[in-house]
Amino acid sequence: MTQQGVRWTADQVLALAPDAASRKAGSKLGAAGPWSEAGSTDEGTVWGLCRGSGSRPYRTVIDIADSTGPAYKCSCPSRKFPCKHALGLLLLWAGEDGTVPRGQVPDWAEEWTEARKKRADDKRAASAAGSPASGDPEAARRRAERRAEHITAGAAELEQRLADLLRGGLATAEQAGYGLWEETAARMVDAQASGLAARVRELGAIPSSGPGWPVRLLEECALLHLLDQGWLRRERLPDGLAATVRSRIGLTGSADGPPVRDHWLVLAQYDTSDSRLTTRRIWLHGAESARPVLLLSYGAAGRAPELALPVGLALDAEVSAYPGAGQLRAALGEQFTPPAPTTIRPPGVSVAQAAARYGEALRDDPWLDSHPVTLGRVIPTPDGDTWQLADADGELALPLTPAALSGSGLWRLVALSGGTPVTVFGECGHRGFTPLTAWPEGPGEAVSLC
Amino acid sequence: MEGTHMNRTPTPTDTVSTDTASADASGGSRWEELVTAALLGTARRTPSGIPAGREAPTALLDAAAVETVRRRAGMRPGRAAARVEPAPADPRPLLPPAAARRLAMLLADRPGTGGGSGGRRGSAPDLMELLPQWLATANRRGFAPRPEALPSLLDAARGRTDLRPAVLAFAGPRALWLARLNADWRFALRSTPGGGAALPGPGEPDRIRELWEEGLFAERVALLSGIRARDATAARELLATTWATERAEDRLMFLDSLRTGLHAADEPFLERALADRSRNVRATAAELLSALPGSALAGRMAERAQSCVAVDHTQGTPTIAVEAPHECDPGMERDGVLPKAPAGRGERSWWLGQLVEAAPLGTWSRRLGGRTPEEIVALPVADDWQGELHAAWCRAAVRQRDPSWSRALLGVPAAPEAGGPGAVSLAERAKLLGTLGAAERADWVAGFIAVHGLSEAFQLLGVCTVPWSGPLGRAVVDALNIARDAGSYPWSFSGVMGLAERCLDPSEAPHLETLTAIPDEPENAAPGAGSYWAESFQRLVTTLRLRAAMQRELEEE
C-alpha cells in the first residue's frame, strides 16, 4: 500500500496532545500565520519554522513513521511532549491547504532524523546480538529466586489477612476503611508483587462504592485468594496459566512471542492515570489474523506516554505477544509503513456472542474484568437512568458500564447512531460494556468515543 | 474452571455484578449463602459443604472464587428496552472533510475545554470568535454536520445564547432528537417552536388554524412571523380572526410582527388598532401607520407638523422658524402622540418632536420651498430649535428608511463636527447608516475614519457589511498603522482589532505582512509597544488566513 498523499485528520492529531491545554494551544498554531519553510516527505517526516515570541523561530520536526509512534523534536523550551508547535505543525500538515508541501528535508531536520535512524539501527543490532550482558545468568537466576521467595511470603501473608477478614466478617471492612488496605498494599510492594498490591488497593475503595458493595468485595477477595493460590501452586499449573498467574502477580515477562506481521487497525487509545503513573492502552485489530492486541505504554504522572497511534488508521507492522494464556498484550515491533487511513473495519458480533466471548476468555484468565469485542448492528438505547446497546435484529441488549455513562463519548455514540444500527468496538465484561470506538452503518470514518 | 462454559448460570443482567433473584435456584442460593456468611464472618456463620481439612474462611474463599468466575462466565445479555424512534433524516449534504476538521478545531477552542489561556491574547487567533462566521457560511451553503459533532455543537450553544439560532439551524433535526434525550440540551427544544416540529406550510390551512388557536404563545408568534414573511396579507387576516379576544400583551407582540412586510393594505387594520384599549398597542399601531407615508395618519401628522415649521424670509438669509404646538389635543393623542413629557423636557418640544418624527419626510420639500433634503438640513434654524428638529428628522429617516434624508443628515464624513449637525449621536449615525446601501455605508465610514481616526469608529464599523469593502478595510488598517506610529499601545484599539480580525476581507492578508515585523521604537513611544503591535498584526494576519481557509473549505463540494 502506498502512502502517497495520505494525511491524518485533526482529531487524530489532537489525540496526540498530552493534555487539554496543549490541545488548545496546538489548535491555535494550526494555521499558516506563524509558519514558514514548512514541508513534508512521503516517508513521514514533517518540518517547519514557527515564529514565537523570541527573535529566532522555533525549528520543529516530526517523524510520523517512527516504529514507536510519532517522534518529535522542537527547539522550543516547552517540557510538554509533543509541544504545541509539533501539534500545530501536524494540524497544518493534516489540513492539506498547501502550506506543508512535499519537499526536500532541510539539513537541520535531516540531522535529527539521521541520528534517530542510527540509534534505532544500533539498538536493533544490539538486540540481534543477544540481550546486553547483565551479569552472569547464574546471578540472574538467584535474583529471580530471591524475588519469588519474597512474593511467596507476601502471598502467604495476604492469605492470612483475607482469612482474618472472612472470619470476622466483611461488615468490619466498612469500619476499617482505607488504612488497613493501604498498609497491606505497602507490604505487597515490599514483597515485590505489584499486581497483588494494586488489587489490594482496589479492595480498599469497594466498601464506599455504593449499594451492593459486600457482593463486590467478596468477589474481589475471592479472586485475590485465587491468585494467591495460583502463585503458591504455580508448579502444578499448565504452562500458559502459570504464565498468566505470574503476569497478574506483577512479574511481567518479556514480549518474546514470535513476531506477527499484519495490517493492524488502531481500534482505540485511552489513558488512565493514578497519582504515580499514566497508563495508555491501545487496542489493535489484525486485518488478516483477526487478532485483538493490546499495547501498553506508560508515562510519569501528568505526562503523556510516548507511544501514540491515531484511532482509525492502520499500519503494516510486527507485534510480539507477552507470555500467558489469554493475554492479549503485545509489544509493537518493526513498523513497515506509517499509520494511514484505511477502510478496514473489524467484523461485528451480536451481543449474545459478545457475552459468550468474555465467558470463554475467563477460561484462560479468570481474573479478566473485560474482553475486547466489536458489536455489529447495535442501537444505543436509553433504559431508565442508564443506556444499553441493543441488537438491531434481536431482543437482547448489554448494559453500558457506569463509567461509560459519565463521559462525552456516550453522546457522540448516540448522535452517530441517531436511533439506527452502528458498529461499536469496546470492552465487554462483568460490569457491562464500555464503548470505545464506533462506525456508522454506511461508509464513514471511525469515531473515537474515549 | 472446567464445566463453567457448559453450565451457564442465568444471572440478572441489568446490573450484572450484583446478584438479586437468580433464575437458577441452586447457583443463586449458593452464592447468597456465601455472601451472608462472608458478611457475618465464619466465626458466626459457617457455610455448608466445607471439605475436611480446610479452614472455614479459606473454604469460603475457595467456594466464592468458583462462584464468582461461574457467575461472570455465565453472564448473559438482558432484554432490550423500548427502542427510541430514529432521528428524522437530514436531507442536506454532509460537510466536506476539511470543513468538518475545521469545525472540530473551532469547537475545541471553547472556553472550559482547555487550560487557562485567559489574559493576554498573544499572536494566536481567537477561534471561538470565528464560529459565528463559520456557521453563517455553512448554513448559507446548506451543509449538514457530521452527527458525532452534534454534542460539541450543542454544548457550545448551551454556553453562548447568541450562537443558538445559527447552531440550531446548522445542527438540524438530529440535534433536536438528541436534545430530547439529554436534559442539558433542553434549551434547544425551547428555542425551536414546537420542539422542532416543522411549522405548517401554506398548503395546510387546517394545521395553521389549529396551531393558531391552540398553540402556545411562542409557537403562535413563530407561526405568525413565518406566514407574514411569505404572505403578508394572510398573516394579517389570521391575526384579525382572533384579535378581539387576545390579551393586551399578546396583541402588542402580534402587532409587532406586522413590522415585517408592512404595506398600505395594512392601514385599515392598524387604524382600528388606534382605538385599542391598551395604550402600548395604540402607540405601536400609530408608529406603524406613520411608517406608511400614504396613510391617513401620516397625512394628519404631516399637516400638524407643517403647521409648526416654516421658512422665514424676513431675515437676510432664509431661516427655519419653529412654532411648537401649544397643546396635545385628543386627535393627536389618538394618533399616538404621548402627552406627558419625560422629566426635564419641555412639553411643547416633546410634542413637536413626535409630530416631526411621524410626518412623512416627503412633505418637507413641498413645505419648505421645493428644497432638497441637503438644502433643508443646511438652513439655519431660529431660536435654538435646530437640535430638536434635526433629531426628529433623524428618527423619521430611520423609521421611514429614507436614504436621501439619511445622507443629508449624516453630511460629509470629513466634516469637522463629525458627520452630522447638532444632536446626532454616534448611535443615531449608526442607525442612519443602516438605511444606506452597503457600499455607500462602507465609503462613508471609511471617510470618517480617514479624518477622525478609530477612537469613535467602533459603533459605525458594527453596521458595515462583512467582509469590509476594499476602501473601508484600507482605511482601518491605515488608521491602525497611524495609531502604532503615534506610540500608543495596541490594546487601546482591541475592540477595532477584534472587529478587523472578523470583518476584514481575507484577501487583504498579504498587504498586512509588512506590519507584522517588530519596528524600531520611536523616541516617544510607550515602552515595548512595538512588539505588542507586531503581535497584534500577526494575530490579524493569522486570523485572516484562517478565515480564507475556512471559506475555501466550505466552498468545496
Side-chain angles (χ1 to χ4, degrees), chain B residues 224-250:
Chain B
L224 189 66
S225 324
I227 296 175
R228 180 77 179 176
R230 66 173 185 242
D231 182 352
T233 305
R236 191 188 63 244
E237 283 168 356
L238 182 68
L239 178 57
T241 58
T242 56
W243 179 254
T245 58
E246 303 288 354
R247 298 182 313 150
E249 311 90 276
D250 296 0

Side-chain angles (χ1 to χ4, degrees), chain B residues 64-79:
Chain B
V66 172
E67 280 301 314
T68 298
V69 177
R70 191 170 109 94
R71 278 158 41 89
R72 289 184 178 181
M75 189 192 89
R76 279 183 184 175
R79 186 154 287 279

Side-chain angles (χ1 to χ4, degrees), chain B residues 19 22 24-36:
Chain B
D19 197 16
S22 172
D24 182 331
S26 71
S29 62
R30 175 71 179 146
W31 174 247
E32 268 162 33
E33 187 195 351
L34 294 173
V35 172
T36 308

